């Protein structure tokens, strides 16, 4: 746990007032820390995009309190969405639904849909409830991950402080909430095209797995199609550290640990989930991580940030198994590695 105190009622009240005035607030969720703004204020949402360096056509997710009225934010909440909400909210599941006409297109990158999620973190819920009360009952916070666009997502408040020093110096509140419990971003499920006979469609894997969704809906979600809505965190290259990162299979790794194929003068670190080899080239450092996919997901972003600051030439990641329980992890580290592959 972070040694800093958890956000107080006064901290949350102040943050809600900042949101009301059109400012930015960083807040914890169970997935990662978010960079939030009033979802109904296009100028405030534009400040998110500017701070992150995020393309304006890349949508953000609207976070709402548990008792929020989704009919305010959407044109239609199908029965499938209600069933998933009952099963998984509050929690790490984002639903893509048709956007209500009065909700500005800034939150959806100009699309006619909107991503909505109810986070489980108690600090996030307190912030959303206080902000909704200030807004007359319908406040929502647009909140992508609190990092520069394409970089590793933050799982601790100190990651946000390091990522946005100028905004923090200018008064942006960063609400403390300890380490994120899940550690990777939410599952994103598109339900916006059910009336057209399309869906549900899994746009981004996460802690809520296709099998979990199937237990509620009676069927597995489809893979994304060419007409699927754009969604947060689904670009080919994303979640990347500054240090070059490469995925390596076990055979390649076994050669590298004895020095075969290592560039002269390199200093590399291996993130490995299998036992450390008994003999290793001195140019390599072995960084163990859990072989349990949920624990791996919880640790990987924080570990990547930590290793990024140690002056390594390259971060080598032992490729996890290609099994369903590893899909979300493979998605994130695969996009991180893609940032360093030739186009």
């Amino acid at each position: 746990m972070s040694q800093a105190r958890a956000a107080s009622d006064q901290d949350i009240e102040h943050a809600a007032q900042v949101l009301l005035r059109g400012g930015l607030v960083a807040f914890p969720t169970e997935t990662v820390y978010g960079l939030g703004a009033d979802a109904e204020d296009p100028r405030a949402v534009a400040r998110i995009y500017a701070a992150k360096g995020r393309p304006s056509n890349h949508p953000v997710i609207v976070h709402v309190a548990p008792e929020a009225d989704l009919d305010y934010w959407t044109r239609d909440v199908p029965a499938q969405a209600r069933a998933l909400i009952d099963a998984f909210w509050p929690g790490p599941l984002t639903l893509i639904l048709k956007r209500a006409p009065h909700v500005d297109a800034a939150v959806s990158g100009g699309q006619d849909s909107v991503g909505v999620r109810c986070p489980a973190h108690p600090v996030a819920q307190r912030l959303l409830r206080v902000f909704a009360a200030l807004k007359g009952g319908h406040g929502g916070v647009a909140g992508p991950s609190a990092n520069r666009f394409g970089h590793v997502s933050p799982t601790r408040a100190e990651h946000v402080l390091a990522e946005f020093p100028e905004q923090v110096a200018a008064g942006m509140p960063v609400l403390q909430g300890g380490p994120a419990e899940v550690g990777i971003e939410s599952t994103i499920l598109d339900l916006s095209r059910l009336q057209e006979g399309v869906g549900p469609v899994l746009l981004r894997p996460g802690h809520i797995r296709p099998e979990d969704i199937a237990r509620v809906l009676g069927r597995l979600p489809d893979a994304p199609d060419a007409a699927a809505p754009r969604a947060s965190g689904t670009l080919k290259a994303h979640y990347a550290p500054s240090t070059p990162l490469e995925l390596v299979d076990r055979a390649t790794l076994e050669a590298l640990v004895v020095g075969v194929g290592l560039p002269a003068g390199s200093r590399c670190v291996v993130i490995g989930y299998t036992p450390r080899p008994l003999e290793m080239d001195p140019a390599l450092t072995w960084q163990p991580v859990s072989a349990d996919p949920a624990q791996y997901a919880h640790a990987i972003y924080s570990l990547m940030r930590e290793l990024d600051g140690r002056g390594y030439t390259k971060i080598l990641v032992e490729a996890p198994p290609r099994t369903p329980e590893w899909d979300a992890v493979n998605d994130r580290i695969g996009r991180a590695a893609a940032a360093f592959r030739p186009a």
Side-chain angles (χ1 to χ4, degrees):
M1 288 291 289
S2 172
Q3 296 302 307
R5 64 177 176 83
S8 67
D9 290 344
Q10 290 76 17
D11 294 331
I12 289 171
E13 179 66 33
H14 170 66
Q17 292 289 346
V18 169
L19 290 172
L20 191 64
R21 297 194 297 268
L24 300 181
V25 170
F27 63 101
T29 79
E30 75 280 18
T31 58
V32 298
Y33 275 68
L35 184 65
D38 183 351
E40 295 183 272
D41 183 343
R43 290 176 298 179
V45 174
R47 292 186 180 101
I48 294 176
Y49 285 94
K52 285 177 62 73
R54 184 184 183 95
S56 61
N57 68 346
H58 201 56
V60 295
I61 293 167
V62 176
H63 295 72
V64 297
E67 60 277 2
D69 179 7
L70 280 195
D71 291 317
Y72 178 80
W73 297 98
T74 72
R75 277 188 278 155
D76 175 52
V77 184
Q80 294 94 322
R82 301 284 184 193
L84 291 166
I85 288 167
D86 289 343
F88 300 118
W89 279 17
L93 176 66
T94 295
L95 299 178
I96 306 295
L97 302 168
K98 288 295 186 184
R99 175 170 52 84
H102 71 274
V103 176
D104 196 272
V107 298
S108 60
Q111 301 175 112
D112 67 352
S113 56
V114 62
V116 188
R117 179 167 102 81
C118 175
H121 198 290
V123 172
Q125 290 192 8
R126 286 158 60 201
L127 174 66
L128 291 164
R129 284 176 165 137
V130 172
F131 181 59
L134 291 175
K135 293 275 291 184
H138 289 301
V141 174
S145 55
N147 54 277
R148 304 289 179 180
F149 184 69
H151 291 190
V152 181
S153 298
T155 57
R156 299 171 182 266
E158 50 263 39
H159 297 162
V160 183
L161 296 170
E163 195 89 3
F164 294 106
E166 294 179 3
Q167 285 80 3
V168 172
M172 181 181 78
V174 178
L175 296 177
Q176 295 278 351
E181 181 180 356
V182 174
I184 58 173
E185 300 80 1
S186 63
T187 303
I188 300 181
L189 189 71
D190 176 30
L191 298 176
S192 67
R193 298 175 293 159
L194 293 178
Q195 291 186 346
E196 303 162 30
V198 181
V201 174
L202 182 67
L203 301 183
R204 181 174 73 185
H207 186 71
I208 305 297
R209 296 171 49 200
E211 293 79 7
D212 301 322
I213 293 166
R215 280 193 287 272
V216 176
L217 299 186
R219 55 158 293 182
L220 289 167
D222 297 326
D225 56 294
R230 296 184 303 278
S232 296
T234 54
L235 296 181
K236 180 179 179 181
H238 218 72
Y239 314 114
S242 299
T243 306
L245 182 146
E246 182 181 352
L247 279 171
V248 292
D249 59 30
R250 185 67 194 187
T252 303
L253 185 60
E254 288 174 353
L256 288 171
V257 297
V258 294
V260 178
L262 280 177
S266 63
R267 179 172 170 264
C268 302
V269 59
V270 177
I271 297 177
Y273 68 93
T274 55
R276 180 189 185 280
L278 294 177
E279 295 184 12
M280 285 182 56
D281 187 281
L284 273 178
T285 299
W286 188 271
Q287 176 63 60
V289 69
S290 175
D292 175 79
Q295 293 182 33
Y296 188 114
H298 172 77
I300 189 62
Y301 283 160
S302 184
L303 182 57
M304 286 166 63
R305 282 180 170 269
E306 180 183 342
L307 297 177
D308 211 11
R310 294 188 183 176
Y312 290 109
T313 309
K314 183 177 285 188
I315 299 171
L316 302 171
V317 180
E318 181 182 9
R322 288 288 176 181
T323 53
E325 62 269 23
W326 285 94
D327 280 350
V329 166
N330 278 314
D331 175 81
R332 303 315 192 272
I333 60 177
R335 294 179 196 276
F340 301 101
R341 289 196 290 265

